[in-house]
Amino acid sequence: MNQRNYTKLWWRNCLAIIGLSVFPLLFVTIALYTLFDGIYTDKVTESLKRTAENRRDAIDLFFNERVAQLYTIANTNTFATLTEETFLKTIFEVMHTKSNSFMDIGVIDDEGNHRAYVGPYYSMLKEVNYKNEAWFSATKANGIYISDIFMGFRKVPHFIIAVMVREKNTSWILRVTINLKNIYDILQNDLVGEGSDAFIVNLNNALMTQPRIGGNYLEKPKYPDFSSTSTTNATRRVFEGQDSFYASTKISSTKWVVVIKEDPDEILLPFQTGKYWMMFFTIFGLAIIVIGAILFTNGLINRIRKTDQEDASKSDMLVQANKMIALSKMAAGIAHEVNNPLASIAEVAGWMKDLLAEEDIAANKNFAELDESVDKIEQQVARARKIIHNLLGFARRMEPAKEKININALLDETTGFLDNGARYMNINIEKHYAEDVPIITSDLSQIQQVVLNLLNNAIDAIDHDGTVTVSTRYHEKTGEVEISVADTGKGIPESNLSKIFDPFFTTKEVGKGTGLGLSISYTIIEKLGGRISVESKEGEGTVFTILLPKN
Amino acid sequence: MDTLRVLIVDDEDDFRETIVKRLKVRKVLAEGVASGIDALKVLETQDFDVIVLDVKMPKMDGIETLRHIKKLKPEIEVIMLTGHASVEFGIKGMQLGAFDYVMKPAPLNELLDTINQAYNKKRGLPH
């Protein structure tokens, strides 16, 4: 049988399991990630749009309210009363008590002359004429005008709301400057993130408010150009190396564009956290898969290895059994063929003895020699006879007896035969019996013959000073009783282990062993439905193990 | 006392002839034949007390010969001579009416003992 490459098999199986499991896991992870990414980005941009629109509406409302306030004042007072600067101051103070939205207030006549002014730039603005200013003509044309940020005469960025009033056949303008801080506050309200920002640009992409990161009024912002925004929209854009979300929307009352900027790292933080969790679970899942695959493969390969070993030992046993059958046939044949001439030799020798006894040749000088020679022939015949007896014991097809046997008691009795001899050689016979060994049905004398043989071998292997351990065990699963005989003898070389049960195999001196003991034992145990096996390590000892079925 | 008459039936010449000689020395009237067929022939003209019959012989084996002997002369006691490999033939012979079986190569004394026991049986003596 070819030896399997278990390492290769291990890797193949392990990688197959990992591959098959990892692919779907990664697929699902990537799919979920993409899906969540899309959904979350949508949600973020939606929310950004809403924020932008909320700001826009708040600013719109702010302007509408200011305009309405101004309109009311202008139309409930006459040019004459409002140009009274003490009166105008009173009105301004009333306006100022409820809100600090206004920086100053002024009345300009039809010719552009600043007729009355209340505010911090009194000396600078009192005498100016606005006739040539853009806002002046725009107000005259539209009636109501909200300016962009501009420098004006005061040379300070500001913006104004102006209302034109027609009175009799002339007209005049009431104009206020709006506190920039109000717009800034509305815009920056609730911007919590460190990378968040909000600002307003006019149609020329000039800043109408100061962004957080800096940039002055009327300058170009350090952000992309959103001045052409018409409807609300949100995008993610990389501008000057910075990746950001932007939402922009147009304020209807001023044609300004509100821009909200968010840092993706902050706004996507929950998603990032989710991403890390996802990554963690994926890695965790991968680890589980790898560990699982390794454990599973280990189990599988061990099982295959065990099965292979069992197969191998089964096939070894089959080979051994076949060898035994062939050998026993041959042994029987040889025994029979040798038996007849042996019988003749025995008889002839006997006849010679008869003759020697009968004739009075005791006086013959060769008598002693002859007599001794015939004796030797008879001795050798007896020896050959014994060999044949053993050989046939090995070969004989016997019907084993069926009797109830207490294995532990049998071992006690059998070791008892050898106790004296063993003690004389300083060999200790130790017994380790399991108490749950059941009574088995088998052939007592044959088991005893085998055990006796194993014990004799064990004692021979030790020669002197050592321990023979006889133990029993019950394998409940297979219903087998195990008898093992272990010695601390010289052990059997590995090259001899496979031949140990072959007939005539012996390592004992010529004439001391027939080499049949273990082969007979093997045949007996096999006939009884059991198994006998050997394990040995040179220099450490040998263990023979017999497994006998309970029935 | 009558002389014990024994017929040895065995195809091994050396074995048979030597046994016959050794039995004769021991005052047994022994004769030998080499086959079952010869044995039956001899029985037509001669009487024997005990027949020692080898189970393994060419042409007609011991068991076959035994059946004929028991048919022809049931009073003659037969001892089967078997090898180790053929003990079951000895047992079978006993089932067919043989007195006993002896395994080859048996010491002569053992064989003679068995022959005497068979002879005693034939004469109605304790055996």
Side-chain angles (χ1 to χ4, degrees):
Chain A
M1 198 171 78
N2 285 334
Q3 187 66 33
R4 269 188 225 273
N5 187 339
Y6 293 108
T7 318
K8 201 170 146 194
L9 201 64
W10 191 94
W11 278 107
R12 253 200 342 227
N13 191 71
C14 212
L15 291 178
I17 294 172
I18 291 172
L20 282 174
S21 318
V22 164
F23 179 70
L25 179 72
L26 288 182
F27 180 78
V28 168
T29 308
I30 290 166
L32 283 179
Y33 178 81
T34 315
L35 196 68
F36 283 148
D37 193 26
I39 290 173
Y40 203 84
T41 309
D42 283 354
K43 266 213 144 7
V44 163
T45 50
E46 272 313 308
S47 120
L48 221 53
K49 268 188 195 173
R50 255 197 312 281
T51 311
E53 282 171 347
N54 288 342
R55 301 278 144 91
R56 176 199 68 191
D57 293 347
I59 290 167
D60 250 348
L61 187 67
F62 175 82
F63 280 125
N64 289 338
E65 277 175 356
R66 295 319 108 174
V67 169
Q69 209 175 352
L70 202 63
Y71 191 80
T72 309
I73 293 165
N75 284 290
T76 49
N77 294 285
T78 59
F79 179 71
T81 48
L82 284 179
T83 42
E84 295 265 337
E85 278 189 344
T86 41
F87 182 68
L88 190 64
K89 196 177 180 189
T90 317
I91 286 180
F92 184 70
E93 274 166 6
V94 172
M95 284 161 76
H96 216 59
T97 42
K98 278 295 161 192
S99 83
N100 54 359
S101 318
F102 304 103
M103 297 285 288
D104 60 10
I105 190 165
V107 181
I108 298 107
D109 68 15
D110 203 22
E111 296 301 312
N113 296 313
H114 208 181
R115 296 290 295 275
Y117 175 80
V118 177
Y121 299 102
Y122 188 84
S123 55
M124 200 185 283
L125 299 179
K126 183 63 185 90
E127 300 298 331
V128 298
N129 186 292
Y130 291 110
K131 200 173 175 178
N132 296 323
E133 293 300 301
W135 68 265
F136 182 75
S137 38
T139 311
K140 286 199 88 164
N142 297 325
I144 294 169
Y145 181 72
I146 302 168
S147 77
D148 280 1
I149 299 270
F150 66 107
M151 301 302 278
F153 290 108
R154 65 188 77 172
K155 308 292 178 212
V156 168
H158 68 289
F159 77 93
I160 56 153
I161 300 176
V163 177
M164 189 182 76
V165 185
R166 290 187 189 283
E167 201 178 320
K168 294 171 193 158
N169 46 10
T170 183
S171 62
W172 49 277
I173 290 168
L174 184 64
R175 185 222 60 176
V176 289
T177 306
I178 298 297
N179 188 348
L180 292 176
K181 195 171 177 298
N182 284 71
I183 305 294
Y184 184 83
D185 284 349
I186 293 171
L187 213 53
Q188 301 286 346
N189 183 31
D190 286 344
L191 282 183
V192 283
E194 277 183 22
S196 309
D197 209 344
F199 59 93
I200 295 174
V201 289
N202 67 5
L203 289 174
N204 301 320
N205 196 31
L207 280 170
M208 297 291 108
T209 61
Q210 285 175 311
R212 272 183 166 187
I213 56 154
N216 221 329
Y217 295 105
L218 298 175
E219 285 176 0
K220 262 173 83 115
K222 295 169 186 166
Y223 290 117
D225 183 356
F226 289 99
S227 57
S228 54
T229 303
S230 53
T231 52
T232 313
N233 69 65
T235 52
R236 184 176 186 166
R237 239 195 249 182
V238 180
F239 183 75
E240 287 177 0
Q242 202 193 4
D243 180 20
S244 304
F245 277 103
Y246 296 97
S248 60
T249 187
K250 197 170 186 181
I251 303 171
S252 48
S253 49
T254 59
K255 295 182 180 167
W256 292 351
V257 173
V258 173
V259 181
I260 305 281
K261 178 250 174 190
E262 287 284 2
D263 185 350
D265 286 346
E266 288 167 8
I267 202 161
L268 294 178
L269 188 66
F271 179 66
Q272 294 291 354
T273 316
K275 218 159 73 179
Y276 290 133
W277 275 108
M278 202 177 238
M279 211 154 21
F280 170 76
F281 280 122
T282 307
I283 288 167
F284 184 71
L286 288 175
I288 294 274
I289 287 170
V290 170
I291 292 167
I294 287 171
L295 291 180
F296 176 79
T297 308
N298 278 348
L300 188 76
I301 298 298
N302 280 342
R303 226 165 26 233
I304 291 173
R305 204 193 291 263
K306 217 172 136 191
T307 314
D308 283 354
Q309 275 166 1
E310 277 169 9
D311 283 355
S313 80
K314 260 185 212 153
S315 107
D316 281 356
M317 274 165 67
L318 199 68
V319 167
Q320 179 73 2
N322 282 334
K323 198 159 74 176
M324 284 297 169
I325 290 169
L327 282 166
S328 69
K329 272 185 187 160
M330 202 179 90
I334 292 170
H336 186 77
E337 289 310 315
V338 172
N339 209 32
N340 279 329
L342 202 60
S344 299
I345 294 168
E347 286 313 319
V348 173
W351 179 231
M352 285 168 79
K353 265 205 109 55
D354 286 351
L355 292 177
L356 283 171
E358 200 177 287
E359 299 288 322
D360 186 21
I361 56 167
N364 189 305
K365 61 173 176 156
N366 286 332
F367 174 78
E369 273 299 312
L370 279 171
D371 195 46
E372 206 178 296
S373 299
V374 175
D375 278 347
K376 275 186 183 158
I377 292 173
E378 284 196 321
Q379 277 166 22
Q380 293 303 318
V381 166
R383 188 176 147 201
R385 194 180 129 128
K386 204 173 154 193
I387 292 171
I388 284 173
H389 179 83
N390 281 337
L391 194 54
L392 287 165
F394 158 71
R396 195 165 60 209
R397 304 220 158 271
M398 61 204 162
E399 216 22 71
K402 296 256 177 214
E403 50 206 326
K404 303 234 174 273
I405 306 167
N406 178 338
I407 287 289
N408 289 349
L410 179 146
L411 291 175
D412 267 338
E413 191 189 56
T414 314
T415 50
F417 296 152
L418 298 166
D419 259 351
N420 280 330
R423 208 173 301 135
Y424 180 71
M425 302 306 287
N426 197 22
I427 292 169
N428 185 28
I429 299 181
E430 273 187 23
K431 299 166 188 174
H432 297 297
Y433 298 157
E435 286 181 5
D436 62 346
V437 174
I439 300 290
I440 69 165
T441 309
S442 201
D443 189 315
L444 186 136
S445 62
Q446 295 204 38
I447 294 172
Q448 195 161 40
Q449 187 186 339
V450 172
V451 172
L452 200 60
N453 183 26
L454 294 183
L455 286 171
N456 269 322
N457 284 349
I459 288 169
D460 286 349
I462 294 170
D463 193 35
H464 59 84
D465 303 310
T467 306
V468 176
T469 310
V470 182
S471 34
T472 56
R473 253 178 84 191
Y474 179 48
H475 296 275
E476 210 169 337
K477 262 192 201 158
T478 52
E480 286 173 317
V481 173
E482 178 188 306
I483 304 169
S484 73
V485 177
D487 66 60
T488 58
K490 54 186 177 287
I492 303 161
E494 211 179 316
S495 53
N496 286 347
L497 267 182
S498 59
K499 292 182 271 186
I500 199 95
F501 293 113
D502 291 357
F504 303 112
F505 179 80
T506 181
T507 54
K508 291 179 184 172
E509 287 169 47
V510 177
K512 279 215 167 165
T514 57
L516 286 169
L518 281 174
S519 67
I520 291 170
S521 297
Y522 184 94
T523 321
I524 287 175
I525 296 300
E526 188 119 292
K527 289 245 166 63
L528 296 177
R531 279 171 290 153
I532 182 166
S533 60
V534 62
E535 271 175 65
S536 186
K537 210 161 188 192
E538 256 192 293
E540 285 182 23
T542 306
V543 186
F544 279 93
T545 308
I546 300 169
L547 283 167
L548 285 169
K550 200 175 150 199
N551 291 305
Chain B
M1 193 179 110
D2 295 328
T3 317
L4 169 58
R5 295 161 300 173
V6 177
L7 178 65
I8 309 289
V9 187
D10 196 312
D11 58 328
E12 285 278 331
D13 293 343
D14 286 343
F15 179 77
R16 185 186 67 245
E17 283 162 14
T18 317
I19 287 264
V20 167
K21 277 192 268 184
R22 295 186 75 192
L23 286 177
K24 277 182 179 163
V25 171
R26 286 166 178 77
K27 311 275 182 262
V28 175
L29 212 64
E31 271 190 48
V33 288
S35 73
I37 296 160
D38 288 349
L40 295 177
K41 241 181 241 168
V42 171
L43 279 182
E44 282 173 16
T45 53
Q46 271 176 274
D47 238 352
F48 289 95
D49 298 308
V50 177
I51 298 175
V52 177
L53 188 57
D54 188 22
V55 290
K56 277 221 152 179
M57 288 184 295
K59 285 183 202 161
M60 188 190 280
D61 71 12
I63 297 296
E64 179 91 43
T65 313
L66 175 69
R67 284 184 216 267
H68 283 106
I69 292 170
K70 281 290 160 186
K71 232 186 272 171
L72 214 63
K73 304 244 169 118
E75 73 281 2
I76 300 179
E77 291 301 336
V78 180
I79 294 166
M80 306 303 288
L81 205 53
T82 75
H84 286 287
S86 44
V87 172
E88 62 267 34
F89 291 110
I91 293 163
K92 194 166 182 203
M94 287 175 77
Q95 284 164 352
L96 290 171
F99 174 73
D100 202 350
Y101 71 89
V102 170
M103 276 199 281
K104 276 208 276 194
L108 186 72
N109 292 342
E110 193 186 314
L111 181 64
L112 199 56
D113 277 354
T114 315
I115 290 171
N116 279 323
Q117 282 168 20
Y119 184 45
N120 287 345
K121 189 194 170 200
K122 187 172 177 268
R123 290 184 299 169
L125 297 174
H127 52 273

